[in-house]
Amino acid sequence: MKIAIIGSGFSGLSAAAYATKNGNEVHVFEKHDQAGGRARQFCTPQGYVFDMGPSWYWMPDIIERFFADFGYKQTDFFELVSLNPQFEMIFSDLKMNLPESLDDLKSLFEKIEPSAGKQLEKFMQSAKFKYEVGMQDFVNKPCHNWSEFISPKIAKSVLKFDLLYF
Ligand SMILES: Cc1cc2nc3c(=O)[nH]c(=O)nc-3n(C[C@H](O)[C@H](O)[C@H](O)COP(=O)(O)OP(=O)(O)OC[C@H]3O[C@@H](n4cnc5c(N)ncnc54)[C@H](O)[C@@H]3O)c2cc1C
């Protein structure tokens, strides 16, 4: 089958890869002169380079699974280097380096506002729970029917998910 895919961002390129793997003839059409969608770069003649979208390497498990579907590992293509500091925030009257370790980050939060470090720890635990349950019980389901999402585990987790806040 011939398949036309509009857009060469993450979605278009990954859809193209799966469609090609399934034996289709795939053509990707991109309106920009550069592939990558929001993950492309913009360079000025002066040599400044801007990421047009993603800077953080989020959800590494999804990327690892994508490569595994094609018989590869992420490390076959690129090396991940964790930066310390992770990044610098520049305000009009202040510059702040965000450290790599969670303990150092909590100390920084404490310095800015007493007990903010504890709140960060609480937030991270809640985010970890939501991510793990979200990936296992929501994102990776085929979504053919609402009944896929009915389970005692999900029912018990409703309050922890903050699903009932508007
Ligand atoms: C400022 C910003 C920061 C972000 N930071 C992060 C981050 O740190 N980490 C992270 O994981 N994610 C981040 N994201 C999200 C991430 O960039 C997007 O989720 C991801 O790039 C979306 O990919 P996509 O393929 O779905 O869409 P897009 O990347 O938008 O790709 C769509 C493509 O379709 C093309 N297109 C559209 N219409 C047509 C047409 N009619 N004909 C031909 N081509 C067409 C577009 O030119 C584009 O190339 C960020 C996004 C933004 C905007």
Side-chain angles (χ1 to χ4, degrees), residues 7 17 25-26 32 35 39 52 58 66 75 79 84 86 90-91 94-95 104 113 117 134 136 148 152:
E25 181 185 322
V26 181
H32 284 111
M52 300 304 281
W58 281 333
F66 172 79
T75 47
E79 185 192 357
N84 190 22
Q86 295 267 288
I90 303 174
F91 302 95
L94 177 74
K95 280 186 182 179
D104 291 344
E113 185 182 324
Q136 281 162 24
E148 289 168 30

Side-chain angles (χ1 to χ4, degrees), residues 5-14 29-32 34-40 51-59 63:
I5 290 182
I6 310 296
S8 67
F10 292 157
S11 316
L13 291 183
S14 53
F29 295 90
E30 170 56 56
K31 68 178 179 182
H32 284 111
Q34 204 186 355
R38 272 172 267 180
R40 72 188 185 282
D51 290 336
M52 300 304 281
S55 316
W56 284 282
Y57 195 76
W58 281 333
M59 302 174 127
I63 295 168

Side-chain angles (χ1 to χ4, degrees), residues 131-145:
Y131 186 78
E132 285 171 358
V133 177
M135 294 307 285
Q136 281 162 24
D137 297 304
F138 288 90
V139 175
N140 291 329
K141 293 209 169 155
C143 292
H144 292 151
N145 195 302

Side-chain angles (χ1 to χ4, degrees), residues 2 5 11 15-16 24-25 28 51 76-77 79-80 95-96 101 105 108 112 130 144 150 154 159 164:
K2 277 191 181 178
I5 290 182
S11 316
N24 300 290
E25 181 185 322
V28 178
D51 290 336
D76 293 331
F77 296 95
E79 185 192 357
L80 290 170
K95 280 186 182 179
M96 201 186 289
S101 104
L105 190 62
L108 177 68
I112 297 168
K130 286 173 186 163
H144 292 151
I150 300 171
I154 291 175
L159 288 178
L164 303 177

